[in-house]
Amino acid sequence: MPTNVGSYFGYIGLGQYLNGIVAGHMSTTRKLGFVAAKPIPQVLQNINSYLLGARQVDPAITCQVIFTGEWSLAVKEAEATNALADAGCDVITCHVDGPKVVMETAAGRDCFVCGYHANQTPLAPERYLTGAEWNWPGVYTRMVQTMLDGGTISNFDRGGLAEGYIKMSPLGPAVSDTARNQFEATMADMMKGGFAAYKGPLLDNKGNTILGDGASLLETDIALESMDYLVEGVVGATS
Amino acid sequence: MTIADPVDIGTRERFSSEGWLAWLARRSEAVVIPVLALLAGLAVFGVFLMLVGKSPADFYGLVFQAAYGSSFSWQNTLSRTGPLLFAALCVALPAKLGLVVIGGEGAIVLGGVAAGALAAALASWPGAIAIPVLGLAASFVGAVWIGAIGWLRYARGVNETIASLLTAYIAIALMNHLVEGPFRDPASLNKPSTAPLAEHLRVGNIPGWDVHWGLAVGVVVCILSWLLIDRTTWGFAARIAGGNVRAAEVQGLPVGRLIISFTALGGAFAGLAGMFEVTAVHGSANASLAAGYGYTGILIAFLARQNPLAIIPVAILLAGFEASSGLIQRRMDLPDATVLVLQGFVFVAILLSESLYGRFKIFAPERWRAG
C-alpha cells in the first residue's frame, strides 16, 4: 500500500458470527433473516459470518437475505423486514446505515433482533439478543495516544475484539443459558487471536467450492475483503 | 407560478430614453425581491435555530467562514460551484419556455456513467482529443435524457415536472445497475465503480487555482446561454413561446423544436456536469455521482430568476452553503441535514416571493419617468 494512503477497519464480521451463535440458539423456525444494503464484500462477509455462526449451533439453519440496494432507505428496510418475518425468519439482523427501522419493525413482528453498528437495546429491550458494535472511541483514543507517545500509526490497521475495534452489546434478557455459554466460549476463543470463521469444506450457495477440506481463512486474511459470494445456506443472490 | 418573466419581452428601452431612475426601478425589481426573499428565508431559519437552542449569529458566521473565509474555503466552495452552474442551466433553459424541469440529477449521473464507461475504451487516445469526446458523449446522453422529457411534453402532453423527477429516479437506478454490473471494474470492491480513468484523461485544475476546469467551462456556458436567450432570435422565439404558447404558434414559431432543443440543451449541460465530476473529481463513475447537485440546481435557477448570468453568483452562494456543512456539524453539533433545511427555507421564501412581482409601486418605471 502506498505510504501516503491509509486504511483502518475492524473485523466486524466476527461480531456478526457471535450474533449468529446467539441467533442459532434462539431461533425456533431455524430460519434467520438479514436486511442488507448492497452486495459488496463488507456486507457479504457480515451475512456469511452471521449464518456460519448460527451453523455452529445447528448446521441445518438457513439465512434469508434481502438487499435494499441503498444504504439508507427506511421504507424498503421496513418492507424487507416484514417480508423476512412473513417468510418465517424469527431472528433478524441487518447491515444498513441506520438499523433502527429494522430493529423496531422486527421486534414489532415478535422476531428477535441482533444489532449492528451500535447498541440498539433501547429500541427493543425485550427482543434484543446482542449486537455487533463498532468501538471507534477506543480506536481513535489508541491512535492519538500512540502519536502523543511519539510512536507511529501503521497505514494499514486492522483489529477485532482483542484489539478493541469492535465489541458486543450486553446479552438481552431473552438469551438462554446454553446460548450465553457458547457465545462466551467463542468470544474467549476470538480474544486469543487467529480465529477462523471460514473453514473448509465450504461451498457457496450456487454449489461452487470456496474452501477445500482442511483449508480455512483466518480473520486477518485479506482474501476476506474481496468476498463476492454467499455461502451455502444463505437464501438470496448478489445480483 | 410564473416561470418565464413576461416583462422580459419587449421591454428593451434603454435608460437614455426613459431617464435613469425609471430604468433603475424597472431593472431592480428582479434583484431586490429575490434578495429580500433570500434574507427572509435566512431569518426564518434563524428562528428555527433559536428554537433548537443555537445562535443564528454563530451559525451564519461559521457558514461565512467555511464558505468564503479563507483560500481553502473558497476552493471548497468553487469546486462545488462548477456542477451547480450546469445543473441550474438545466432548469433555467427549459424555464424560458415555461417548463419546470427538475430532473437534472438524472442527466448528471448518466452523463457521468457515459464518460466513465467510454473513458475505458479511449484510454489509448491522447487527452486533448479524448477529453472533449468524453464531454460530447456525456452531453449527448444528458441531451437525450432531458430532451425526451421535452418531447413527451410537446408531443404527448406529459407533465414535464413529474416526468423529469421520476426519470431522475430511473436514471439513478440505471447508474447503480451499470456501475455494479456491466461497467464494474472487478477490482473495485466495497465501492463498485467503473475502471479508474487513465491519468491523461483526468481533467486538471485551472492554472494558479485549486479548482478544476469545470468551473471555467460552467461560467462560459452560462454566458453563452445568456447570449442565446437575450441576444438571438432563437432565444427571443423561446421567450415568446414561454409567455404564451398559443400566440407563438399563431405567429408560426416552431414551438416543438424550441421545446425539444431547449430541454436537450439543458440536459446536455447537466450531462457535462457529470463528465466533469468523473474526469476531475472522482476518477471513475460510481454512486457518488448522485450528490444532489441536480436538486440544488433547481433552487439556484429559481433564486436567479432563470437568468443564466445571475446563476453564477447564486451558484457561488449556494455552493458556499453546501461547503459549510462539515464545519457546521463539527462546531455547532448540528446534523448533516441542517444545510438542506436551510435551503428548503430559502426555496419556500423564493416561491412565495413570486407573487410579489408588480405589487410594489416603487418599481413602476412610470413613477420615476422624467416629466
Side-chain angles (χ1 to χ4, degrees):
Chain A
M1 180 170 249
T3 50
N4 62 344
V5 183
S7 162
Y8 60 95
F9 207 64
Y11 301 127
I12 197 145
L14 295 181
Q16 281 291 10
Y17 187 86
L18 289 167
N19 275 349
I21 287 176
V22 180
H25 280 285
M26 301 309 296
S27 170
T28 50
T29 62
R30 313 279 83 189
K31 285 169 85 173
L32 312 182
F34 199 113
V35 180
K38 288 177 180 263
I40 59 169
Q42 231 290 294
V43 178
L44 298 178
Q45 205 184 330
N46 280 327
I47 299 166
N48 291 335
S49 300
Y50 182 58
L51 178 77
L52 290 175
R55 288 204 157 184
Q56 292 300 305
V57 180
D58 177 351
I61 289 178
T62 59
C63 175
Q64 187 162 355
V65 59
I66 296 180
F67 293 98
T68 64
E70 285 294 338
W71 289 106
S72 183
L73 213 57
V75 174
K76 270 198 166 181
E77 288 156 18
E79 284 171 2
T81 311
N82 277 317
L84 290 171
D86 290 342
C89 303
D90 62 350
V91 190
I92 294 176
T93 188
C94 66
H95 183 170
V96 291
D97 273 356
K100 184 169 191 275
V101 171
V102 175
M103 297 297 130
E104 290 181 338
T105 309
R109 295 291 306 265
D110 288 333
C111 296
F112 286 115
V113 290
C114 291
Y116 191 66
H117 287 314
N119 187 351
Q120 281 107 30
T121 304
L123 297 178
E126 300 302 317
R127 314 299 297 173
Y128 194 76
L129 300 178
T130 180
E133 296 180 32
W134 292 107
N135 185 26
W136 297 121
V139 175
Y140 295 134
T141 310
R142 179 165 52 76
M143 286 182 174
V144 171
Q145 195 57 50
T146 307
M147 297 296 280
L148 288 175
D149 295 343
T152 52
I153 302 169
S154 163
N155 74 334
F156 187 84
D157 202 43
R158 294 286 185 273
L161 281 167
E163 297 80 8
Y165 256 94
I166 66 165
K167 59 184 180 180
M168 297 303 291
S169 311
L171 294 175
V175 176
S176 67
D177 285 342
T178 41
R180 175 183 297 273
N181 290 341
Q182 191 174 354
F183 173 86
E184 284 172 353
T186 312
M187 201 154 143
D189 226 16
M190 287 179 180
M191 294 298 279
K192 291 181 205 147
F195 188 86
Y198 293 79
K199 285 187 286 225
L202 184 66
L203 302 177
D204 70 14
N205 69 357
K206 294 174 188 154
N208 304 313
T209 301
I210 302 297
L211 292 172
D213 236 344
S216 67
L217 293 172
L218 291 185
E219 63 185 33
T220 50
D221 200 314
I222 197 76
L224 290 171
E225 297 192 23
S226 52
M227 184 174 283
D228 61 358
Y229 49 83
L230 292 165
V231 297
E232 186 192 10
V234 176
V235 182
T238 55
S239 59
Chain B
M1 132 176 72
T2 47
I3 302 307
D5 191 347
V7 185
D8 265 11
I9 303 164
T11 56
R12 293 253 154 260
E13 294 145 82
R14 295 289 173 267
F15 63 74
S16 54
S17 68
E18 59 176 345
W20 69 273
L21 271 175
W23 178 86
L24 185 68
R26 177 201 305 289
R27 304 299 285 183
S28 55
E29 185 180 37
V31 176
V32 173
I33 289 181
V35 168
L36 287 180
L38 172 67
L39 292 176
L42 298 183
V44 176
F45 183 72
V47 174
F48 171 77
L49 281 176
M50 284 195 279
L51 288 177
V52 296
K54 307 282 180 186
S55 150
D58 285 0
F59 179 84
Y60 290 120
L62 279 176
V63 169
F64 183 81
Q65 196 185 333
Y68 317 108
S70 66
S71 65
F72 177 80
S73 38
W74 268 106
Q75 174 203 334
N76 191 359
T77 299
L78 288 178
S79 41
R80 290 160 197 263
T81 306
L84 290 176
L85 294 173
F86 295 110
L89 284 175
C90 185
V91 182
L93 290 174
K96 290 295 164 192
L97 284 144
L99 304 182
V100 186
V101 170
I102 59 174
E105 186 85 352
I108 294 176
V109 301
L110 290 182
V113 170
L118 190 61
L122 302 188
S124 60
W125 292 28
I129 299 170
I131 291 173
V133 169
L134 294 180
L136 285 174
S139 304
F140 177 75
V141 169
V144 169
W145 197 255
I146 302 294
I149 303 293
W151 179 80
L152 280 172
R153 167 79 220 195
Y154 177 71
R156 312 295 321 153
V158 177
N159 181 304
E160 78 286 355
T161 311
I162 308 289
S164 63
L165 178 65
L166 295 184
T167 51
Y169 293 122
I170 296 175
I172 292 169
L174 196 56
M175 168 197 69
N176 280 326
H177 169 71
L178 291 173
V179 301
E180 287 171 17
F183 296 151
R184 178 175 180 171
D185 173 15
S188 66
L189 297 174
N190 282 315
K191 182 153 197 175
S193 307
T194 58
L197 260 65
E199 202 52 43
H200 67 281
L201 296 187
R202 297 291 301 265
V203 167
N205 286 342
I206 303 169
W209 293 40
D210 241 352
V211 179
H212 65 78
W213 278 103
L215 176 70
V217 177
V219 169
V220 169
V221 296
C222 278
I223 295 170
L224 291 177
S225 298
W226 176 78
L227 287 172
L228 169 71
I229 291 162
D230 231 53
R231 293 285 183 268
T232 68
T233 48
W234 194 241
F236 183 64
R239 281 184 282 135
I240 289 179
N244 187 329
V245 176
R246 290 274 170 271
E249 278 172 340
V250 169
Q251 293 293 321
L253 292 174
V255 172
R257 266 191 287 156
L258 281 168
I259 288 181
I260 292 170
S261 58
F262 270 68
T263 45
L265 190 59
F269 290 151
L272 205 51
M275 174 267 190
F276 277 111
E277 285 300 288
V278 166
T279 53
V281 181
H282 301 300
S284 65
N286 56 49
S288 301
L289 277 169
Y293 287 126
Y295 301 118
T296 310
I298 304 166
L299 174 54
I300 293 171
F302 274 75
L303 253 171
R305 300 273 300 147
Q306 323 293 357
N307 178 331
L309 285 185
I311 282 174
I312 299 170
V314 176
I316 293 174
L317 179 74
L318 267 291
F321 286 172
E322 299 206 337
S324 63
S325 173
L327 193 67
I328 298 302
Q329 285 181 66
R330 291 197 298 277
R331 296 277 283 275
M332 292 194 72
D333 205 17
L334 283 164
D336 179 37
T338 309
V339 168
L340 281 179
V341 176
L342 168 64
Q343 290 184 0
F345 274 103
V346 172
F347 196 42
V348 170
I350 292 291
L351 289 182
L352 289 175
S353 76
E354 293 281 338
S355 65
L356 296 180
Y357 290 88
R359 294 279 182 92
F360 300 107
K361 293 213 170 62
I362 193 168
F363 296 125
E366 294 76 21
R367 189 191 157 106
W368 300 100
R369 248 172 217 145

